[in-house]
Each structure stands twice: as C-alpha cells, then as structure tokens.
Amino acid sequence: MLPEGEDLNEWVAVNTVDFFNQINMLYGTITDFCTEESCPVMSAGPKYEYHWADGTNIKKPIKCSAPKYIDYLMTWVQDQLDDETLFPSKIGVPFPKNFMSVAKTILKRLFRVYAHIYHQHFDPVIQLQEEAHLNTSFKHFIFFVQEFNLIDRRELAPLQELIEKLTSKDR
C-alpha cells in the first residue's frame, strides 16, 4: 500500500526497481537450467508463448528462446530504469506523463519471467531450496500490482491458480 504522504509515482518506481533486482537474482540462479535447448521458446506452460519486441530496435515481435527473450527483457528494463527522463533519481525532478504506462509495461514483462520460472523451472527451484524465496517475492509482486492495478488480469492468467492460492489466505 502507498505510505501516507508518499508520491504514487515514486512508490511505483522504487518497487519496480526492487522487483527487477529480485527477479534478476532469482532467474540468475536457474540459468543453467534455462538454455536454448531446454527452452527454445519463451513460454509459461503449453498455452502461453511470448514473442519479443521493444518498440525501438525490434518493432515486430520475434519468436526466440527463453534465455534470449529474458536477456532482451532484462536489458530493456535496465535501459528504462537508467533513463533519467523516465525514472528521475534527483529529488524534485518530476516523473514524465507516461511514467505509469512505462511502469505497467515493465511489470507486465517481469511477470512473464516469474511465469516462465514457475511453469518451466520449478523443479530446479525446489532442488536449490529457493521455493520459499520465489514464493515470497512473487506474492509481494502480486499484492503490489493488484493494489495499484498495474497488470491486466488477462496477463496474469498463466499463474492464476497460484495467485489465488497465495492471495486467498491474506485477504
């Protein structure tokens, strides 16, 4: 929830950076299992496949392996976070008018990494004893995006069952 007196854009920005760092770290632990061979397509189960486009370098969505998609995604997010016009780091510098739209796109794409990990690499997560960390990170992510309506419900479909399980006890 938004702390009293806190600017909504600032709160979304800080949390977006945190989620990016968490997902980057979590995915980093399973990169040995997510290869061109094991994941020739970026997917979240059999029904959901993601194609990459950043709107700048790659305008038409391309089908690519999960590691390549996630590399594109993480590089793209890092570029957004480093852009002072989008994520101003100096106090008093206003956020751009399109900030919320950019943040929503970042969070929607970060969700896809969680979805890929849960659907394609949950066994290694268990082997590495990271299940609790992944679940806690994802639960925080979901509560945050739901609180501020940052990801369309349809986009969350690949993990809907898990989302209901993780959020039902606490509401």
Side-chain angles (χ1 to χ4, degrees), residues 28-166:
T29 65
I30 56 116
T31 52
D32 288 350
F33 306 96
C34 188
T35 64
E36 300 278 331
E37 293 74 35
S38 66
C39 300
V41 171
M42 176 60 176
S43 64
K47 287 197 270 182
Y48 301 95
E49 189 175 292
Y50 303 111
H51 297 186
W52 179 255
D54 60 17
T56 313
N57 300 323
I58 301 170
K59 293 185 184 348
K60 187 174 180 267
I62 58 166
K63 189 173 184 167
C64 56
S65 68
K68 184 159 279 319
Y69 182 101
I70 293 170
D71 181 48
Y72 282 141
L73 188 154
M74 293 307 195
T75 301
W76 177 83
V77 172
Q78 188 66 65
D79 289 345
Q80 306 308 299
L81 300 179
D82 290 344
D83 184 341
E84 283 289 328
T85 65
L86 287 175
F87 282 78
S89 62
K90 292 176 180 62
I91 293 171
V93 175
F95 284 85
K97 297 245 184 299
N98 67 333
F99 172 75
M100 229 15 117
S101 163
V102 172
K104 285 178 178 184
T105 301
I106 291 170
L107 293 165
K108 173 181 77 178
R109 290 176 172 176
L110 291 176
F111 168 81
R112 294 171 180 178
V113 181
Y114 279 120
H116 181 73
I117 292 170
Y118 274 110
H119 276 281
Q120 314 303 130
H121 302 295
F122 199 64
D123 287 344
V125 166
I126 291 169
Q127 287 167 10
L128 295 165
Q129 299 179 326
E130 293 176 353
E131 185 183 356
H133 189 68
L134 176 63
N135 287 341
T136 301
S137 174
F138 182 63
K139 189 174 181 177
H140 182 198
F141 178 87
I142 284 304
F143 276 132
F144 187 80
V145 299
Q146 287 179 337
E147 173 71 21
F148 301 105
N149 201 18
L150 298 169
I151 299 179
D152 191 286
R153 198 174 154 73
R154 288 184 316 253
E155 284 285 337
L156 301 175
L159 293 178
Q160 196 52 50
E161 262 181 65
L162 176 64
I163 291 167
E164 285 166 14
K165 214 159 98 183
L166 291 175

